[in-house]
Amino acid sequence: MSSWSNQPAMDDYGLPSSNPYGNFTVVDMAPKDILHMIHPHWYQYPPMNPMMYPLLLIFMLFTGILCLAGNFVTIWVFMNTKSLRTPANLLVVNLAMSDFLMMFTMFPPMMVTCYYHTWTLGPTFCQVYAFLGNLCGCASIWTMVFITFDRYNVIVKGVAGEPLSTKKASLWILTIWVLSITWCIAPFFGWNRYVPEGNLTGCGTDYLSEDILSRSYLYVYSTWVYFLPLAITIYCYVFIIKAVAAHEKGMRDQAKKMGIKSLRNEEAQKTSAECRLAKIAMTTVALWFIAWTPYLLINWVGMFARSYLSPVYTIWGYVFAKANAVYNPIVYAISHPKYRAAMEKKLPCLSCKTESDDVSESASTTTSSAEEKAESA
């Protein structure tokens, strides 16, 4: 194993370090009680630039505050506005709750570890920390999948599709959390394990162990939380786009036959509202995959090309992942006219209603009324 320095490592008291390789590395400041969890790969790297820790701390502070405030407001507005309490929006609330829990449990410990430049919270909490991060991430992506599937059901199947009821939406949410807990609890029972990341400011799955049992978990889990959801999402949106294109073509042809520029009836307004909601969901899903792709790459690079994986590189994974928890409330605040209208009434200081909202809100109201009638039927 290569080493950047052959000088013996010393701790803050001038005593020999616990580093078994003798060189001064990023692992040198790690407490002895977590050394058994750190893979030998990380002992070859020098300490990260000291400026990385305050920069990461500041980033996590602002991200944490924005995420907690944004998702709390999202939950509060949706749950306290009668017109927004639809079965489909239960999934939106579940997404905001998952993002809120992720940051609520993630960013305070990371603030501590950035301050001390290493993981100081013990091996047990390291495992709990990694479990909670994986759990909330898994719950978020599958919530987005079900939101996408609901849009597919409404837009593609139309009146032939079974309307989403409150009972069915609740069952979906229960399924999301049960399956997420099942997958994320597996490392506690020996199928892979949770260990400190190479930068020692966070913890995650063990992607450096070469045994087949450990790697099999990453193969299956990557398929479950990334590749399968991506395939489902692409499939749904291909047919959503086809359905929207066919509908628009039909409307143009009908308008041409009638000798008018467009058809602005109730059905057109409803379709416009559904298409807008589909764009919201698609944008949120796209942002989720942008956020979690770096973490997936870190895991796979760690398995197959670990020589390219440095402690600094591992930071990007959870920087992008944590930032994702801020995106969703922003997307809904900008793109959901009924949400903006509710914000204007309940929190005028945060409202961002535009002049075009009246038309969009009318279409959205039509959609919500249709959903409520279908549910009561």
Side-chain angles (χ1 to χ4, degrees):
M1 179 177 294
S2 62
S3 169
W4 78 286
S5 173
N6 292 322
Q7 296 180 355
M10 309 294 284
D11 63 15
D12 292 343
Y13 301 97
L15 299 174
S17 159
S18 57
N19 186 335
Y21 294 93
N23 52 315
F24 189 66
T25 73
V26 69
V27 185
D28 189 62
M29 294 298 293
K32 293 183 180 180
D33 60 351
I34 69 166
L35 290 180
H36 68 283
M37 302 171 66
I38 301 175
H39 194 276
H41 172 76
W42 304 119
Y43 284 97
Q44 65 182 299
Y45 294 99
M48 294 194 302
N49 188 318
M51 285 299 297
M52 291 293 297
Y53 297 102
L55 289 175
L56 187 57
L57 188 150
I58 293 172
F59 170 82
M60 289 303 302
L61 177 63
F62 281 98
T63 302
I65 293 173
L66 288 174
C67 173
L68 295 178
N71 283 290
F72 176 81
V73 170
T74 299
I75 296 169
W76 184 77
V77 170
F78 271 96
M79 297 306 294
N80 287 277
T81 305
K82 185 177 180 180
S83 61
L84 293 175
R85 292 200 297 268
T86 63
N89 282 341
L90 286 179
L91 295 170
V92 177
V93 173
N94 188 62
L95 177 63
M97 180 64 71
S98 176
D99 290 337
F100 182 90
L101 290 175
M102 174 187 286
M103 196 58 70
F104 182 77
T105 57
M106 296 286 101
F107 105 88
M110 202 165 183
M111 297 279 289
V112 174
T113 57
C114 287
Y115 178 80
Y116 287 105
H117 295 194
T118 191
W119 186 267
T120 58
L121 302 175
T124 301
F125 190 73
C126 175
Q127 295 176 310
V128 173
Y129 176 93
F131 165 76
L132 292 173
N134 277 5
L135 173 64
C136 293
C138 185
S140 291
I141 186 57
W142 277 101
T143 300
M144 296 303 341
V145 169
F146 278 106
I147 291 175
T148 302
F149 182 74
D150 177 57
R151 294 301 94 206
Y152 170 86
N153 185 59
V154 172
I155 296 175
V156 177
K157 294 185 177 181
V159 294
E162 181 182 353
L164 181 64
S165 64
T166 300
K167 181 179 179 180
K168 188 175 182 179
S170 301
L171 182 60
W172 282 0
I173 292 172
L174 178 62
T175 301
I176 289 169
W177 285 102
V178 169
L179 291 178
S180 298
I181 292 173
T182 301
W183 280 107
C184 296
I185 206 173
F188 288 113
F189 297 94
W191 195 15
N192 202 276
R193 62 175 185 155
Y194 293 124
V195 297
E197 296 280 2
N199 53 75
L200 299 182
T201 59
C203 297
T205 51
D206 182 7
Y207 43 77
L208 293 176
S209 295
E210 297 181 358
D211 62 281
I212 189 64
L213 182 64
S214 180
R215 287 192 171 184
S216 66
Y217 175 81
L218 295 177
Y219 298 148
V220 177
Y221 190 65
S222 296
T223 301
W224 174 254
V225 300
Y226 190 90
F227 296 111
L228 180 59
L230 179 59
I232 294 173
T233 301
I234 292 174
Y235 173 86
C236 289
Y237 277 111
V238 165
F239 284 94
I240 287 174
I241 292 171
K242 286 183 177 180
V244 171
H247 178 271
E248 292 298 322
K249 184 177 184 301
M251 294 291 290
R252 288 194 301 269
D253 292 343
Q254 185 67 19
K256 187 176 180 179
K257 290 179 181 179
M258 297 176 64
I260 57 177
K261 292 183 178 181
S262 64
L263 297 175
R264 297 186 180 276
N265 54 23
E266 183 176 322
E267 182 62 28
Q269 287 186 339
K270 177 180 176 181
T271 303
S272 177
E274 294 294 354
C275 293
R276 186 189 62 255
L277 292 176
K279 291 177 183 179
I280 297 172
M282 188 174 184
T283 301
T284 311
V285 171
L287 288 172
W288 194 99
F289 281 108
I290 291 172
W292 284 93
T293 296
Y295 201 82
L296 176 83
L297 291 176
I298 288 172
N299 278 259
W300 283 70
V301 170
M303 287 191 289
F304 300 109
R306 69 174 60 172
S307 61
Y308 295 99
L309 197 62
S310 68
V312 175
Y313 183 75
T314 62
I315 290 178
W316 295 108
Y318 50 76
V319 162
F320 275 87
K322 303 301 185 293
N324 169 71
V326 182
Y327 299 156
N328 294 330
I330 295 176
V331 169
Y332 278 94
I334 293 175
S335 305
H336 201 304
K338 292 190 71 177
Y339 176 83
R340 288 201 299 269
M343 283 275 289
E344 186 179 30
K345 293 179 181 179
K346 296 182 178 298
L347 296 170
C349 60
L350 298 179
S351 65
C352 51
K353 191 172 183 180
T354 62
E355 294 179 358
S356 62
D357 283 351
D358 291 335
V359 175
S360 298
E361 187 173 342
S362 174
S364 183
T365 302
T366 302
T367 302
S368 299
S369 299
E371 290 179 349
E372 289 172 0
K373 291 177 182 178
E375 182 182 357
S376 61

